[in-house]
Amino acid sequence: MTARHRCSSCDRPLKAGRYRQCVRGCGAKLCRSRHLPLCTDVHGGQCPNLDIPEGRHD
């Protein structure tokens, strides 16, 4: 049986129902494996829904 989805960060095949979705709502499917860095952390900086406020340039 082949995987229908792949992890958005590490490109590993995902089994049905054995993944996490992006907490920002972009629809990315992320694996739950224990390798470091975690795919949820890696995707956090790459997410298209990431809202970076206009920061001060001190």
Side-chain angles (χ1 to χ4, degrees):
M1 193 158 146
T2 60
R4 292 183 183 183
H5 302 287
R6 299 189 71 83
C7 179
S8 296
S9 290
C10 69
D11 202 38
R12 291 180 185 196
L14 300 172
K15 296 179 182 176
R18 300 291 299 165
Y19 57 85
R20 295 178 187 205
Q21 290 199 333
C22 176
V23 296
R24 292 187 179 101
C26 74
K29 293 170 177 55
L30 306 163
C31 71
R32 301 171 73 188
S33 66
R34 299 267 183 213
H35 62 273
L36 294 176
L38 298 174
C39 289
T40 52
D41 294 339
V42 172
H43 177 73
Q46 302 170 347
C47 183
N49 289 349
L50 181 62
D51 185 25
I52 300 174
E54 293 291 326
R56 296 185 330 214
H57 298 286
D58 293 339

